[in-house]
């Protein structure tokens, strides 16, 4: 059974947590004790109905304020598919949490309040979905019960969002009118929106094709750990452990280790404690090579003709995550997979206006949650791919040298 990783995104009070709760409740994916717990916590609700948002709002502060603050993950399955679902915050100040939740998602559900239409936060989250390369977007027009299930309202939002999708280059957009509160078009077809002839949300999530999203063209194995037991039994054992980010590796393959550029040959591959002749992305493996060469944590093993770029100058699109403003010429650690290298942020080329999608050249100020393109110079050469070629070797984070706080998520352009 395959796995779909998805997130919910949208503005605060659009009903993301309620949607997830409804999805779990109607698909019978809630344990009895969980149901009893939210039943007790919903006693103060009018009409005595269950507050399904409590299923994902795990922090006390979230429950007190009725908002989502941290990313909450839910794991569930149906007879047709397994799911990892991330509920991300809608508040603008927690946009960085949305970036975290979206970084591994195959699909984003963007909620739009039927009464409000496409607003700034809808665009902001759609921009993030676009630059992170999320392949599928479901625009769930929620709270249709508050607009009398009007088809015109839904159609107008479809037209409005389509313009945003075209400007961002988003494709594979699915539009579904729903009421998370009442359960319309979540698991069962709505009898109150007979004009909608498409699939329910769960039907779509169970059948959408995400099998082709693993890059099998160029092989990339970032080394996470060098295994040297140094025991009598394994006196000469030297293995390089990591997760294949793209492509495949086979015993006998000639490989190159970057950034040094040293070549060798694969003599053994182990995965899950067993030897294998061939392994594919995204398997975790231990690789042994023909030569005893100097390979360290953070190096990149590649095979095939598609080589990464070796450079100290990077063009990076980043989401700024720090409360302190971005300052050109400041120094940071750039972490890409297991590799940590000192770097200087040289220049801010433009800031993206999330309302107009205009590129504002040489902005004077870059603050929390801004999306900007910058130039970064690293202290030593790094092996990178563009993000749209390989997510794993085309992304990273910036870390403050003094506080060690993560200040930005980076996508190589």
């Amino acid at each position: 059974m395959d796995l779909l990783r998805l997130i919910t995104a949208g503005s605060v009070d659009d009903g993301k947590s309620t949607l997830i709760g409804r999805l779990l409740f109607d698909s019978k994916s809630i344990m009895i004790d969980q149901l009893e717990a939210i039943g007790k916590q919903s006693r103060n609700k009018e009409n005595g109905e269950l507050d399904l948002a409590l299923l994902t709002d795990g922090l006390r502060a979230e429950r007190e304020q009725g908002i989502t603050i941290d990313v909450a993950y839910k794991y569930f399955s149906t007879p047709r598919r397994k799911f990892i679902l991330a509920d991300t915050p809608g508040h603008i100040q927690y946009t960085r949490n949305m970036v975290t939740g979206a970084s591994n998602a195959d699909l984003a559900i963007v909620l739009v309040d039927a009464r409000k239409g496409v607003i700034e936060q809808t665009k902001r989250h759609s921009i993030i979905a676009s630059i992170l390369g999320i392949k599928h977007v479901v625009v769930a027009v929620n709270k249709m019960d508050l607009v009398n299930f009007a088809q015109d309202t839904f159609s107008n939002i479809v037209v409005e969002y389509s313009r945003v999708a075209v400007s961002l280059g988003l494709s594979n957009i699915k539009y579904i009118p729903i009421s998370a509160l009442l359960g319309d078009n979540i698991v069962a077809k709505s009898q109150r929106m007979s004009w909608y002839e498409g699939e329910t949300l769960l039907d779509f999530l169970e059948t959408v094709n995400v099998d082709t999203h693993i890059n099998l063209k160029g092989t990339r194995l970032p080394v996470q750990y060098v295994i040297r037991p140094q025991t009598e039994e394994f006196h000469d054992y030297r293995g390089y452990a990591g997760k294949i980010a793209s492509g495949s590796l086979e015993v006998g393959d000639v490989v190159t280790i970057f950034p040094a550029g040293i070549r060798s040959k694969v003599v053994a591959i182990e995965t899950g404690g067993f030897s294998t002749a061939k392994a594919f992305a995204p398997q975790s493996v231990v690789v042994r090579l023909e030569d005893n060469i100097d390979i360290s944590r953070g190096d990149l093993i590649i095979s095939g003709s598609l080589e990464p770029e070796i450079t100290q100058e990077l063009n990076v699109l980043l989401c700024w995550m720090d409360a302190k403003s971005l300052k050109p010429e400041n120094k940071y650690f750039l972490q890409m997979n297991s590799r940590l290298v000192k770097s200087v942020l040289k220049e801010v080329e433009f800031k993206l206006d999330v309302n107009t999608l205009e590129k504002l050249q040489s902005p004077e100020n870059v603050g929390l949650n801004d999306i900007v393109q910058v130039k970064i110079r690293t202290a030593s050469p790094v092996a990178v791919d563009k993000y749209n070629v390989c997510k794993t070797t085309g992304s990273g984070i910036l870390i403050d040298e003094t506080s060690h706080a993560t200040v930005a998520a980076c996508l190589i352009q």
Side-chain angles (χ1 to χ4, degrees):
M1 186 182 296
D2 66 352
L3 173 69
L4 178 67
R5 294 180 174 87
L6 66 155
I7 63 160
T8 56
S11 185
V12 65
D13 292 334
D14 278 348
K16 296 181 297 300
S17 298
T18 303
L19 169 64
I20 295 173
R22 173 61 64 184
L23 192 60
L24 297 174
F25 183 75
D26 286 2
S27 62
K28 298 179 173 54
S29 302
I30 304 176
M31 306 293 284
I32 292 175
D33 58 335
Q34 290 178 303
L35 206 55
E36 290 175 347
I38 64 169
K40 291 177 183 175
Q41 293 159 359
S42 302
R43 282 175 183 166
N44 294 330
K45 294 283 291 181
E46 294 180 6
N47 303 323
E49 75 269 23
L50 287 175
D51 185 354
L52 295 172
L54 295 174
L55 275 170
T56 54
D57 290 343
L59 302 176
R60 175 179 292 181
E62 292 178 333
R63 299 184 179 207
E64 288 174 350
Q65 298 180 56
I67 62 171
T68 300
I69 295 173
D70 202 359
V71 182
Y73 292 94
K74 283 293 174 185
Y75 305 81
F76 72 103
S77 62
T78 67
R80 290 197 278 185
R81 178 168 269 175
K82 293 180 180 178
F83 301 90
I84 299 177
L85 199 162
D87 183 21
T88 60
H91 267 288
I92 219 172
Q93 70 191 92
Y94 301 125
T95 299
R96 53 190 170 185
N97 297 13
M98 188 266 176
V99 175
T100 303
S103 58
N104 289 314
D106 304 306
L107 180 148
I109 301 174
V110 177
L111 268 83
V112 176
D113 188 324
R115 300 166 302 171
K116 301 175 182 174
V118 177
I119 61 176
E120 178 182 326
Q121 197 67 338
T122 313
K123 294 178 183 177
R124 187 185 298 274
H125 286 173
S126 299
I127 290 169
I128 292 171
S130 169
I131 63 178
L132 288 176
I134 294 178
K135 300 296 184 184
H136 299 274
V137 172
V138 177
V139 179
V141 181
N142 192 24
K143 304 191 180 183
M144 289 297 293
D145 51 303
L146 298 182
V147 295
N148 297 319
F149 302 98
Q151 183 177 4
D152 286 350
T153 302
F154 174 72
S155 299
N156 290 338
I157 290 172
V158 170
V159 172
E160 191 178 2
Y161 190 87
S162 297
R163 294 194 193 103
V164 175
V166 169
S167 62
L168 292 176
L170 286 171
S171 55
N172 301 321
I173 313 291
K174 181 77 174 178
Y175 298 92
I176 304 177
I178 64 169
S179 169
L181 184 65
L182 303 179
D184 292 77
N185 288 334
I186 306 297
V187 173
K189 290 278 286 184
S190 171
Q191 302 301 311
R192 293 173 281 225
M193 289 182 276
S194 56
W195 45 264
Y196 173 71
E197 297 177 347
E199 303 159 284
T200 66
L201 179 61
L202 185 60
D203 280 340
F204 181 73
L205 298 180
E206 286 183 324
T207 56
V208 62
N209 181 16
V210 292
D211 293 341
T212 59
H213 297 165
I214 296 173
N215 182 354
L216 296 176
K217 292 181 181 176
T219 299
R220 303 285 186 266
L221 173 62
V223 176
Q224 295 177 353
Y225 190 68
V226 179
I227 300 175
R228 290 292 314 279
Q230 295 183 321
T231 61
E232 284 299 321
E233 186 181 0
F234 299 100
H235 185 76
D236 296 322
Y237 188 98
R238 188 189 299 265
Y240 307 102
K243 182 177 179 179
I244 301 177
S246 65
S248 62
L249 270 179
E250 190 169 358
V251 173
D253 279 353
V254 174
V255 295
T256 308
I257 294 85
F258 286 99
I262 303 169
R263 293 171 74 85
S264 186
K265 185 183 289 185
V266 176
V267 295
I269 302 172
E270 299 160 24
T271 181
F274 298 95
S275 296
T276 180
K278 193 170 186 177
F280 303 85
Q283 285 182 294
S284 294
V285 297
V286 177
V287 172
R288 293 165 59 195
L289 302 180
E290 186 176 61
D291 307 288
N292 287 330
I293 51 183
D294 181 19
I295 300 177
S296 305
R297 173 180 166 86
D299 286 349
L300 186 65
I301 298 175
I302 78 118
S303 74
S305 58
L306 184 63
E307 295 190 351
E309 182 181 2
I310 311 301
T311 181
Q312 290 182 254
E313 304 286 344
L314 300 173
N315 288 323
V316 174
L317 193 65
L318 62 81
C319 178
W320 189 249
M321 296 176 163
D322 197 15
K324 293 185 292 186
S325 296
L326 180 156
K327 300 291 183 188
E329 299 300 333
N330 271 11
K331 296 178 181 178
Y332 300 97
F333 289 117
L334 172 64
Q335 179 157 0
M336 302 183 69
N337 297 297
S338 304
R339 187 171 183 80
L340 195 68
V341 59
K342 289 185 176 181
S343 64
V344 178
L345 201 156
K346 299 297 291 183
E347 178 187 353
V348 181
E349 293 186 316
F350 66 79
K351 179 167 74 172
L352 203 59
D353 186 315
V354 297
N355 285 308
T356 64
L357 304 181
E358 182 186 1
K359 295 177 180 177
L360 306 174
Q361 301 296 324
S362 304
E364 293 182 358
N365 182 58
V366 176
L368 181 65
N369 298 318
D370 279 337
I371 296 167
V372 294
Q373 179 153 313
V374 302
K375 288 185 180 296
I376 292 175
R377 180 171 178 77
T378 58
S380 58
V382 290
V384 299
D385 292 295
K386 291 183 177 178
Y387 182 77
N388 60 9
V389 173
C390 181
K391 286 186 176 183
T392 306
T393 51
S395 61
I397 56 174
L398 284 183
I399 300 171
D400 189 294
E401 274 192 331
T402 53
S403 68
H404 295 278
T406 299
V407 296
C410 305
L411 310 178
I412 310 299
Q413 303 299 294

